[in-house]
Amino acid sequence: MSYNTFGHIFRTTTWGESHGPALGATVDGVPPGVPLTPEMIQVWLDKRKPGQNKNTTQRNEPDAVKILSGVFEDTTTGTSIQLMIENTDQRSKDYGNIAQTFRPGHADLAYHQKYGLRDYRGGGRSSARETAARVASGGVAREVLKQVAPGIEIKGYMVQMGEKTIDRDRFDWATIDQNDFWCPDAAAAQEWEDYLGWLRKDDHNSVGAIIEVVARNVPAGIGAPVYAKLDTDLAAAMMSINAVKGVEIGEGMNAAALTGRDNADEIFYENGEICYGSNHAGGILGGISTGQDVVVRFAVKPTSSILSPRRSILMDGSPTEVVTKGRHDPCVGIRAVPVGEAMAACVILDHILLDRAQTGGVRGQIG
Amino acid sequence: MSYNTFGHIFRTTTWGESHGPALGATVDGVPPGVPLTPEMIQVWLDKRKPGQNKNTTQRNEPDAVKILSGVFEDTTTGTSIQLMIENTDQRSKDYGNIAQTFRPGHADLAYHQKYGLRDYRGGGRSSARETAARVASGGVAREVLKQVAPGIEIKGYMVQMGEKTIDRDRFDWATIDQNDFWCPDAAAAQEWEDYLGWLRKDDHNSVGAIIEVVARNVPAGIGAPVYAKLDTDLAAAMMSINAVKGVEIGEGMNAAALTGRDNADEIFYENGEICYGSNHAGGILGGISTGQDVVVRFAVKPTSSILSPRRSILMDGSPTEVVTKGRHDPCVGIRAVPVGEAMAACVILDHILLDRAQTGGVRGQIG
Amino acid sequence: MSYNTFGHIFRTTTWGESHGPALGATVDGVPPGVPLTPEMIQVWLDKRKPGQNKNTTQRNEPDAVKILSGVFEDTTTGTSIQLMIENTDQRSKDYGNIAQTFRPGHADLAYHQKYGLRDYRGGGRSSARETAARVASGGVAREVLKQVAPGIEIKGYMVQMGEKTIDRDRFDWATIDQNDFWCPDAAAAQEWEDYLGWLRKDDHNSVGAIIEVVARNVPAGIGAPVYAKLDTDLAAAMMSINAVKGVEIGEGMNAAALTGRDNADEIFYENGEICYGSNHAGGILGGISTGQDVVVRFAVKPTSSILSPRRSILMDGSPTEVVTKGRHDPCVGIRAVPVGEAMAACVILDHILLDRAQTGGVRGQIG
Amino acid sequence: MSYNTFGHIFRTTTWGESHGPALGATVDGVPPGVPLTPEMIQVWLDKRKPGQNKNTTQRNEPDAVKILSGVFEDTTTGTSIQLMIENTDQRSKDYGNIAQTFRPGHADLAYHQKYGLRDYRGGGRSSARETAARVASGGVAREVLKQVAPGIEIKGYMVQMGEKTIDRDRFDWATIDQNDFWCPDAAAAQEWEDYLGWLRKDDHNSVGAIIEVVARNVPAGIGAPVYAKLDTDLAAAMMSINAVKGVEIGEGMNAAALTGRDNADEIFYENGEICYGSNHAGGILGGISTGQDVVVRFAVKPTSSILSPRRSILMDGSPTEVVTKGRHDPCVGIRAVPVGEAMAACVILDHILLDRAQTGGVRGQIG
């Protein structure tokens, strides 16, 4: 990872600010011969798009993606793909009052301290709007995965909002797409809806969340020890998303509480297949995929932009109070779900390509 | 990060296996003119060295570092520094019985699946012995930091072993170096000692841990958004350490449970200094250091090598039971403390150098 | 360098095909606070622009650059800058007949062999049209150089066309911008004009050229031995330009013919300044700038698209003859002059930034 | 390329100074399962080794390579390989008088200006002794090439010494290994021998050379446009070798003198094979290998260390005369032959691995 680029082989470089004319991603290292149309990418952008329900920001952006290069006759050519999303609903006047103000919890002051100046319109480059470009790149990654590793499924969902977690016994894959929260537990989704409504309207507050992303059917052998491990790159990918403060693989932080006897994923060989008695490891050992489900979780802090006043300073150092009246998500974790999925897709594809560079994709066998 | 190298400017490439003749690190991008002797590095290796007390492995390695290049007349020249540590206590016979066995929880099977073969002696490259090279590089980073950003202090300690956490009210910096666990809470250290003794001798088991690393006096403005954020690189650095399953910055996973009002670190300007009402952010916003303490935590899973039998398979797929009688740490988290410190030192130095490339180190001011 | 990106700190990623909707460059690592407008970049694109006189292709492209990100209120913010140039004069029918044909000397067959398919319209990604994006990035580099290393001048010119070289005794900086060939020798320019007119109209042929780029006032100490030497990166930069087949620093290939006594650039110290008796080295020793003029030359092969028939094959392997009737430069070397300048500007800036990362820009003194 | 590392996938990081205890290379990205012993590498080091005849330096170094990691039971494991060569004949007293002196044509002053200090013993890191590490890495590359692209042959030879070129009509592959100059023309070799003897003994002088490296049977389709082209990376690799001032692919600088009609390599399809009427391109078009011989040439300047006095300055700026009495090659070009071969092997292997990452090694067909 380097400034605005991530990936080893499948490399994504993003650009654009919240209130500039456009934003986008240059996607490099894409294998040639993969069918690709804007529509294939748009479906994922639509999933992240703001303004879709009352639980996310009312900013209204179509987030329509254009492919400007790297695709010829609806097929990738192996050259760099430019994906552009024009900003249409910029309303920069909503943000004009913050030119002199550093919003607590945002990157305003940090950008000022680093760069000496900043594009203060909607957070500029530090806005989560940048993640639209990631989702677009993730859409490309998914189409490539269909060709180079068919069968991989990558699915994200929320498992916690505030202090309220899902009940794993009620986990239902089919439920995820049927509520505003990408929640696999219908009862929890209802509870969250009530809670978030109260938080937003009555408490003028916001709340954090935990997102889990699972990748199924990832072939064993992916990951490059010791500094480009699959879990290392997933951790970097998730931590680079706006507002993320923690990343876990498998048992995650809870691994500390376990004993070696409990944590061991025992290994069996049945019907010509390697299988495991459990998946505490989250599908990754020594930085390499084991063939089990790859499980990654990340925590998103509560939206910093809230209607409740918080104390801060102006450019000249004088004190102020910040109350954010703009259109903001009360729980940014919701829209982080497709972003986490996209990052996982990019990282997994990247590692499949990186692995075939070194090993040629040939695998050690058992039996 | 790429295979065996990490860092943007201050780049560390490690090499070596658990039971090969030697291991080491090539450290590149080191500023010239920095005083450096083997002794300055050795002090950190001694901290990580095995066999120092009954709570860590009884493998007896002096881990004496040699500087083979990049230093002239005890001063760095700006060229690549080679640090070599010879393996002396290899006893490969301890491990001979595992040539055909895949140990559960270890990378044995994953390496086999990726590479088709593996150096099975002590885990080969996947052994935590590799972290000695990181600690050596961290020793170099610390000496450079003294020159380029004097005043930075980086300190790691354990905050949880198994289910037993420290009591933050008893936190005492001075206590950390006075027990076998780098524990800042003397009472917890005693409790851990009793527990670990029982686990090792009576329960034939092991346990996980959480380590926290704090960096104080990191200048504001360090970190490169959006894909080489300071927290992104810290997350990658920690997750790349053997057995780590989770990484947190500031509130970490707990950020999910907070509301925006509670999580806001309010900003003040007093006596010409920016200060904050709290540090939920762990010293990093938008991927950039704020000048507050940088706080990172990571969870280390329990040692997979235990005396209790676990089920697994042999190369031919037939079932077996694995009981590890070698010399192993009952809680690898203990020796992960100096490793986490070293990684933090490397990442922070790297970002200071990277930042002066782009910004020249000049900062936006307040007031 | 990696696929579509070059540079260590000041990194340029280009995208776009000859006949796609647009092409451009994502420029990363730009220091903040640098004044930048589209007009500052446009002046260099205008220099490269086709259709300006009868000696270059009659394709008519305005090559108007737009800045889509990374600049706020006409100042760089330190975030990634997107430069976009829309293609307006695409006339893809000119090229339709080559869908099945591999043009000799072009990359058609090589792309087919590598990727299995290609965008055949005007060479697609292999078209020299890609160099417009480099020139745009070079325009950014020049503005940054004004801030970080004022006084640097980078100037390119042609020193040979076909077998006709300039006379160094007639070298005149002022002449360079006064003829169609960026030629510093007015007499040679006239000779070239006559020759090229005959080649194009009567001989249906094309011809190669040698371009020299000189950078003056580059500070001593720039360049990163041993694999990112200043000359190494200049060589890579120039060799990556379409149709370039050779690169020289200082004496270049002629260094082979010299003796050590003749080649030595003797060193003097006069009036507090280091100076040299000659500049056979081209301003670079050990990969590091010496403070003398940096001198790099590169040879551009003759345009492969000519009106004279050349034998080749079709997709099915059957023989054909290729005659190119499109609008092509009879000597692509002419328009390579601003491209070489741009690459030099990017590389020199990149190394100034890279150097201040490692050394902080502090220099060893004499006396 | 970055400081002390080159390569995308097959990455070599070198370390060590002329008069330090040892030097070496960390070789990363090596495919697993490749047979490798020190002897396989030693054969190439022996070719470069000093003191083998009167035409090269009389410094006597066995240059015995040790493999410290990455190889298990004489087979690569896929982990980083450490190659170490201990310095035995250091005689640093030969160089003691230059601590205060900047030798003209050497990197002494440039290193001082960049780093503020330098290891003056034998040039330290800027010594061509570093190339031993490259040759060792090249030895690894050759063994890997045998597995991943059998049939590739890489051979270097000298084609010019001073003003004396070989006669291509007398070119004989078998002759190359039968003289001290790796010269394919026996008559030229004799002429060079006489000339060099006079230069060294009577004229107290040195001379430059041109080396050509040819790679046969490189598969078509290797090379990553547009900034990691095969020729781009070869140019960088060769230019990074000490004393190299020019690099050419195919016609090289002479391409400028040709017309498009003459330069066209016409394409034919005969007996199911693509073939060409000529190879002006040097086997590379659009940065991608065509399947023809890859031909690269580079010019090495004359050794700067000569017995004839040259004027220079001391650290305090005062004038001096430099006469080098140490053991030096009168024509460093001779020993650059195996270095050029090694760099070509590394680059070609790297690109084969990089290509299979993106394209999977599948190729477009004809017919």
Side-chain angles (χ1 to χ4, degrees):
Chain A
M1 294 200 159
S2 173
Y3 292 94
N4 293 288
T5 301
F6 71 94
H8 305 270
I9 298 292
F10 182 84
R11 292 167 64 82
T12 301
T13 303
T14 70
W15 55 273
E17 280 82 44
S18 173
H19 286 63
L23 57 88
T26 312
V27 189
D28 204 352
V30 182
V34 177
L36 189 69
T37 65
E39 292 72 26
M40 293 174 179
I41 301 169
Q42 192 64 46
V43 63
W44 304 108
L45 281 165
D46 288 349
K47 190 170 172 182
R48 179 201 162 279
K49 194 166 69 172
Q52 302 194 95
N53 58 57
K54 65 183 172 299
N55 296 308
T56 58
T57 173
Q58 295 308 300
R59 178 170 171 163
N60 186 10
E61 285 285 3
D63 279 358
V65 68
K66 289 182 184 171
I67 300 177
L68 297 183
S69 69
V71 174
F72 182 56
E73 298 178 343
D74 292 345
T75 309
T76 62
T77 59
T79 64
S80 46
I81 295 177
Q82 181 60 239
L83 306 171
M84 183 171 74
I85 299 164
E86 286 166 288
N87 286 324
T88 59
D89 181 21
Q90 302 174 21
R91 285 205 225 174
S92 57
K93 62 186 174 299
D94 280 17
Y95 297 91
N97 60 335
I98 63 157
Q100 300 297 318
T101 312
F102 301 115
R103 298 168 300 165
H106 280 284
D108 297 349
L109 179 52
Y111 267 64
H112 174 74
Q113 285 177 301
K114 183 177 186 70
Y115 297 119
L117 81 170
R118 65 193 168 97
D119 178 348
Y120 50 75
R121 301 167 303 167
R125 181 71 178 151
S126 72
S127 165
R129 187 142 180 71
E130 185 270 341
T131 60
R134 303 176 185 226
V135 171
S137 182
V140 177
R142 285 179 184 268
E143 295 305 317
V144 179
L145 280 171
K146 285 182 189 170
Q147 305 295 320
V148 301
I152 291 181
E153 292 174 55
I154 296 167
K155 188 77 181 171
Y157 42 86
M158 266 178 59
V159 296
Q160 183 177 335
M161 175 187 284
E163 296 184 341
K164 299 170 196 294
T165 62
I166 62 164
D167 181 340
R168 293 270 171 180
D169 292 336
R170 290 196 299 250
F171 195 107
D172 179 4
W173 290 100
T175 298
I176 295 171
D177 293 336
Q178 294 170 356
N179 59 72
D180 291 355
F181 304 95
W182 317 109
C183 178
D185 169 355
Q190 183 57 53
E191 201 179 11
W192 294 351
E193 175 124 23
D194 298 341
Y195 176 57
L196 201 63
W198 172 81
L199 257 184
R200 181 168 51 86
K201 289 181 294 185
D202 301 317
D203 196 36
H204 295 170
N205 210 342
S206 63
V207 74
I210 294 181
I211 288 92
E212 184 168 281
V213 179
V214 172
R216 290 183 286 188
N217 303 318
V218 174
I222 304 306
V226 297
Y227 297 117
K229 288 174 171 168
L230 180 56
D231 40 1
T232 297
D233 282 356
L234 284 169
M238 300 311 170
M239 194 63 94
S240 75
I241 300 172
N242 308 52
V244 172
K245 301 305 286 186
V247 182
E248 302 186 313
I249 304 292
E251 285 288 342
M253 299 306 290
N254 187 48
L258 298 180
T259 69
R261 210 155 49 219
D262 295 336
N263 187 60
D265 296 320
E266 294 184 308
I267 312 173
F268 306 91
Y269 189 67
E270 291 171 357
N271 304 319
E273 298 282 341
I274 296 165
C275 50
Y276 291 85
S278 52
N279 187 15
H280 298 287
I284 303 175
L285 283 172
I288 301 170
S289 62
T290 63
Q292 289 197 278
D293 285 358
V294 173
V295 182
V296 56
R297 267 184 312 283
F298 57 94
V300 179
K301 71 179 185 183
T303 316
S304 299
S305 297
I306 51 177
L307 266 168
S308 299
R310 296 287 91 186
R311 286 175 296 178
S312 186
I313 58 172
L314 300 174
M315 284 278 282
D316 63 3
S318 60
T320 186
E321 275 197 342
V322 175
V323 176
T324 311
K325 294 181 180 153
R327 303 156 295 166
H328 293 281
D329 293 276
C331 175
V332 280
I334 302 171
R335 288 174 60 217
V337 173
V339 181
E341 286 179 342
M343 296 308 281
C346 290
V347 169
I348 288 168
L349 170 60
D350 187 35
H351 270 283
I352 288 172
L353 301 182
L354 187 62
D355 175 76
R356 72 184 190 186
Q358 189 184 15
T359 72
V362 179
R363 297 278 166 256
Q365 300 302 315
I366 295 299
Chain B
M1 293 200 160
S2 171
Y3 292 94
N4 294 287
T5 300
F6 71 93
H8 304 271
I9 298 293
F10 181 84
R11 291 167 65 80
T12 301
T13 304
T14 70
W15 55 272
E17 280 81 43
S18 173
H19 285 64
L23 57 86
T26 313
V27 188
D28 205 352
V30 182
V34 177
L36 189 69
T37 66
E39 293 71 27
M40 292 173 179
I41 301 169
Q42 193 63 48
V43 64
W44 304 107
L45 281 165
D46 288 349
K47 188 169 174 184
R48 177 200 163 280
K49 195 168 65 174
Q52 302 195 94
N53 59 57
K54 65 182 172 300
N55 296 310
T56 58
T57 174
Q58 295 308 299
R59 179 171 172 163
N60 186 9
E61 287 284 4
D63 279 358
V65 68
K66 290 182 185 171
I67 299 176
L68 297 184
S69 69
V71 174
F72 182 58
E73 298 179 343
D74 292 345
T75 308
T76 62
T77 59
T79 64
S80 46
I81 295 177
Q82 181 60 240
L83 305 171
M84 183 171 73
I85 299 164
E86 285 166 289
N87 287 324
T88 58
D89 181 20
Q90 302 172 20
R91 284 206 228 172
S92 56
K93 62 183 175 300
D94 280 16
Y95 297 91
N97 60 334
I98 63 155
Q100 299 298 317
T101 312
F102 301 116
R103 298 168 300 166
H106 280 285
D108 297 348
L109 180 51
Y111 267 64
H112 174 75
Q113 286 178 299
K114 183 178 186 70
Y115 297 120
L117 81 169
R118 65 194 168 95
D119 179 348
Y120 50 76
R121 301 167 302 168
R125 181 71 177 150
S126 72
S127 166
R129 185 140 183 71
E130 185 269 344
T131 60
R134 303 176 186 226
V135 171
S137 181
V140 177
R142 285 179 184 270
E143 295 305 318
V144 179
L145 280 171
K146 285 182 191 169
Q147 305 296 318
V148 301
I152 290 181
E153 290 173 55
I154 295 167
K155 188 77 181 170
Y157 42 86
M158 267 178 58
V159 296
Q160 183 175 336
M161 175 187 285
E163 297 184 341
K164 300 170 195 295
T165 62
I166 62 163
D167 180 343
R168 295 268 173 181
D169 291 336
R170 289 197 299 252
F171 195 107
D172 179 4
W173 290 100
T175 298
I176 294 171
D177 293 334
Q178 293 170 357
N179 59 72
D180 291 354
F181 304 95
W182 318 109
C183 177
D185 169 355
Q190 184 56 54
E191 200 178 9
W192 294 350
E193 176 125 22
D194 298 341
Y195 174 58
L196 200 63
W198 173 81
L199 257 184
R200 181 168 49 86
K201 289 182 293 186
D202 302 316
D203 195 36
H204 296 172
N205 211 343
S206 63
V207 74
I210 295 180
I211 289 92
E212 184 167 280
V213 179
V214 172
R216 291 184 285 189
N217 302 319
V218 174
I222 302 306
V226 295
Y227 297 116
K229 288 172 171 170
L230 180 56
D231 39 2
T232 295
D233 282 357
L234 285 169
M238 299 312 170
M239 193 63 95
S240 76
I241 300 172
N242 308 53
V244 172
K245 300 305 287 184
V247 182
E248 302 187 312
I249 304 291
E251 286 288 342
M253 299 307 290
N254 187 48
L258 298 181
T259 68
R261 209 154 50 216
D262 293 338
N263 187 61
D265 297 320
E266 296 184 308
I267 311 172
F268 305 90
Y269 189 67
E270 291 170 356
N271 305 318
E273 298 284 340
I274 295 164
C275 50
Y276 292 85
S278 51
N279 187 15
H280 299 287
I284 304 176
L285 283 172
I288 302 169
S289 62
T290 62
Q292 287 196 279
D293 286 357
V294 173
V295 182
V296 56
R297 268 183 312 283
F298 57 95
V300 179
K301 71 179 183 183
T303 316
S304 298
S305 298
I306 52 177
L307 266 169
S308 300
R310 295 286 93 187
R311 286 175 295 178
S312 185
I313 58 172
L314 300 175
M315 285 277 283
D316 63 3
S318 61
T320 187
E321 276 198 340
V322 175
V323 177
T324 310
K325 294 180 180 153
R327 303 155 294 164
H328 293 282
D329 295 275
C331 176
V332 280
I334 302 171
R335 289 173 57 217
V337 172
V339 181
E341 285 179 341
M343 295 309 282
C346 289
V347 169
I348 289 168
L349 170 59
D350 188 35
H351 270 283
I352 288 172
L353 301 183
L354 186 62
D355 175 77
R356 71 184 189 185
Q358 188 184 15
T359 72
V362 178
R363 298 278 165 256
Q365 300 302 314
I366 295 299
Chain C
M1 294 200 162
S2 171
Y3 291 94
N4 294 287
T5 300
F6 72 94
H8 304 271
I9 298 293
F10 181 84
R11 292 166 64 82
T12 301
T13 303
T14 69
W15 55 273
E17 281 81 42
S18 173
H19 286 63
L23 56 88
T26 313
V27 189
D28 204 352
V30 182
V34 177
L36 189 70
T37 65
E39 293 70 28
M40 293 174 179
I41 300 170
Q42 193 63 48
V43 64
W44 303 107
L45 281 165
D46 288 348
K47 188 169 173 182
R48 179 201 161 280
K49 193 168 67 173
Q52 303 194 94
N53 59 58
K54 65 182 171 301
N55 297 308
T56 58
T57 173
Q58 296 308 301
R59 179 171 171 162
N60 186 9
E61 286 285 4
D63 280 358
V65 67
K66 290 182 184 171
I67 299 176
L68 298 184
S69 69
V71 174
F72 182 57
E73 297 178 343
D74 292 344
T75 308
T76 63
T77 59
T79 64
S80 46
I81 295 176
Q82 181 59 240
L83 305 171
M84 184 171 73
I85 300 164
E86 286 167 287
N87 286 325
T88 57
D89 180 20
Q90 302 173 23
R91 284 206 228 171
S92 57
K93 62 183 175 299
D94 281 16
Y95 297 91
N97 60 335
I98 63 154
Q100 299 296 317
T101 312
F102 301 117
R103 298 168 300 166
H106 281 285
D108 297 348
L109 180 52
Y111 267 64
H112 174 75
Q113 286 179 299
K114 183 177 185 71
Y115 297 119
L117 81 169
R118 64 193 169 96
D119 178 348
Y120 50 76
R121 300 168 304 168
R125 182 70 177 152
S126 71
S127 165
R129 186 140 182 71
E130 184 270 343
T131 59
R134 303 176 185 226
V135 171
S137 180
V140 177
R142 285 180 184 268
E143 295 305 317
V144 179
L145 280 171
K146 285 182 192 171
Q147 306 295 319
V148 300
I152 291 182
E153 292 173 54
I154 297 168
K155 188 79 181 170
Y157 41 86
M158 268 177 58
V159 296
Q160 184 177 333
M161 176 187 285
E163 297 183 342
K164 299 170 196 296
T165 62
I166 62 164
D167 180 342
R168 295 268 172 182
D169 292 338
R170 290 196 299 252
F171 193 108
D172 179 4
W173 290 100
T175 298
I176 295 172
D177 293 335
Q178 294 170 357
N179 59 72
D180 291 353
F181 304 94
W182 317 109
C183 178
D185 169 355
Q190 183 57 53
E191 200 178 11
W192 294 350
E193 176 127 21
D194 298 341
Y195 175 58
L196 201 63
W198 173 81
L199 257 184
R200 182 168 49 86
K201 289 181 294 185
D202 301 317
D203 196 37
H204 296 170
N205 211 341
S206 64
V207 74
I210 295 180
I211 289 91
E212 185 168 281
V213 178
V214 171
R216 291 184 283 189
N217 302 319
V218 174
I222 304 306
V226 295
Y227 298 116
K229 288 173 171 169
L230 181 55
D231 39 3
T232 296
D233 282 357
L234 284 170
M238 299 310 169
M239 194 63 95
S240 76
I241 300 172
N242 308 54
V244 171
K245 301 303 288 185
V247 182
E248 302 186 313
I249 304 292
E251 285 289 340
M253 300 305 291
N254 187 48
L258 298 181
T259 69
R261 210 154 48 217
D262 294 338
N263 187 60
D265 296 321
E266 295 185 309
I267 311 171
F268 305 90
Y269 189 68
E270 290 171 358
N271 305 320
E273 299 282 340
I274 296 164
C275 49
Y276 291 85
S278 51
N279 188 14
H280 298 287
I284 304 175
L285 283 171
I288 301 169
S289 63
T290 62
Q292 288 196 279
D293 286 356
V294 172
V295 182
V296 56
R297 268 184 311 284
F298 57 95
V300 179
K301 70 178 184 184
T303 316
S304 298
S305 297
I306 51 176
L307 266 169
S308 300
R310 295 287 92 188
R311 285 176 294 178
S312 186
I313 58 172
L314 301 174
M315 284 277 283
D316 62 3
S318 60
T320 187
E321 276 198 341
V322 176
V323 177
T324 310
K325 293 180 180 153
R327 303 155 294 166
H328 293 283
D329 294 276
C331 176
V332 280
I334 302 171
R335 289 174 57 217
V337 172
V339 181
E341 286 179 341
M343 295 307 282
C346 289
V347 169
I348 289 168
L349 170 60
D350 187 35
H351 270 283
I352 288 172
L353 301 182
L354 187 61
D355 175 77
R356 71 184 189 186
Q358 189 185 16
T359 72
V362 178
R363 298 278 166 256
Q365 299 302 314
I366 296 299
Chain D
M1 295 199 159
S2 171
Y3 291 94
N4 294 287
T5 301
F6 71 93
H8 304 271
I9 299 292
F10 182 84
R11 292 167 63 82
T12 301
T13 303
T14 70
W15 55 273
E17 281 80 42
S18 173
H19 285 64
L23 56 88
T26 313
V27 188
D28 204 352
V30 182
V34 177
L36 189 68
T37 66
E39 292 72 27
M40 292 174 179
I41 301 169
Q42 192 63 48
V43 63
W44 303 108
L45 281 165
D46 288 348
K47 189 170 173 182
R48 180 201 162 279
K49 195 167 67 174
Q52 303 195 93
N53 59 57
K54 65 183 172 298
N55 296 310
T56 57
T57 172
Q58 296 307 300
R59 178 170 171 163
N60 185 11
E61 286 284 4
D63 279 358
V65 69
K66 289 181 184 172
I67 299 176
L68 297 183
S69 69
V71 175
F72 182 56
E73 297 178 345
D74 292 344
T75 308
T76 62
T77 59
T79 63
S80 46
I81 296 177
Q82 181 59 239
L83 306 171
M84 184 172 73
I85 300 164
E86 286 166 289
N87 287 325
T88 59
D89 181 20
Q90 302 173 23
R91 284 206 229 171
S92 58
K93 62 184 174 300
D94 281 16
Y95 297 91
N97 61 334
I98 63 156
Q100 299 296 318
T101 313
F102 301 116
R103 298 168 299 166
H106 281 285
D108 297 349
L109 179 52
Y111 267 64
H112 174 75
Q113 285 177 300
K114 182 177 187 71
Y115 297 119
L117 81 169
R118 63 191 170 99
D119 178 349
Y120 50 75
R121 302 166 303 166
R125 182 70 179 152
S126 72
S127 166
R129 187 143 180 69
E130 184 269 343
T131 60
R134 302 175 186 226
V135 170
S137 180
V140 177
R142 285 180 185 268
E143 295 304 317
V144 178
L145 280 172
K146 285 182 191 170
Q147 306 295 319
V148 300
I152 290 182
E153 291 173 55
I154 296 167
K155 188 78 181 170
Y157 42 85
M158 266 178 59
V159 296
Q160 183 176 335
M161 175 187 284
E163 297 183 343
K164 299 170 197 293
T165 63
I166 62 163
D167 181 341
R168 294 268 172 181
D169 292 336
R170 290 196 299 251
F171 194 107
D172 179 5
W173 290 100
T175 298
I176 295 171
D177 292 336
Q178 294 170 358
N179 60 72
D180 291 354
F181 304 95
W182 317 109
C183 177
D185 169 354
Q190 184 56 53
E191 201 178 10
W192 294 352
E193 175 124 24
D194 298 341
Y195 175 57
L196 201 63
W198 172 80
L199 257 184
R200 181 169 49 87
K201 288 182 294 186
D202 301 317
D203 196 35
H204 295 169
N205 210 343
S206 63
V207 74
I210 294 180
I211 289 90
E212 185 168 279
V213 179
V214 171
R216 291 184 284 188
N217 302 319
V218 175
I222 304 306
V226 294
Y227 297 116
K229 288 173 171 170
L230 181 55
D231 40 1
T232 295
D233 282 357
L234 284 169
M238 300 310 169
M239 193 63 95
S240 76
I241 300 172
N242 308 53
V244 171
K245 301 304 286 186
V247 182
E248 301 186 314
I249 304 292
E251 285 288 342
M253 300 306 290
N254 187 47
L258 299 181
T259 69
R261 210 155 48 218
D262 294 337
N263 187 61
D265 297 320
E266 295 184 308
I267 311 173
F268 305 91
Y269 189 66
E270 290 171 358
N271 304 318
E273 298 283 341
I274 296 164
C275 51
Y276 292 85
S278 52
N279 188 14
H280 298 287
I284 303 175
L285 283 172
I288 301 170
S289 62
T290 63
Q292 289 196 279
D293 286 357
V294 173
V295 182
V296 56
R297 267 184 311 284
F298 57 94
V300 179
K301 71 179 185 183
T303 317
S304 299
S305 298
I306 51 176
L307 266 168
S308 299
R310 297 286 91 188
R311 286 176 293 178
S312 185
I313 58 172
L314 299 174
M315 285 278 283
D316 63 2
S318 61
T320 186
E321 275 197 340
V322 176
V323 177
T324 311
K325 293 181 181 153
R327 302 155 295 164
H328 294 282
D329 294 275
C331 175
V332 280
I334 302 171
R335 289 175 57 217
V337 172
V339 181
E341 286 179 341
M343 296 307 282
C346 290
V347 169
I348 288 168
L349 171 60
D350 187 35
H351 270 284
I352 288 172
L353 301 182
L354 187 61
D355 175 76
R356 71 184 190 185
Q358 190 185 15
T359 72
V362 178
R363 297 278 166 257
Q365 300 302 315
I366 295 299

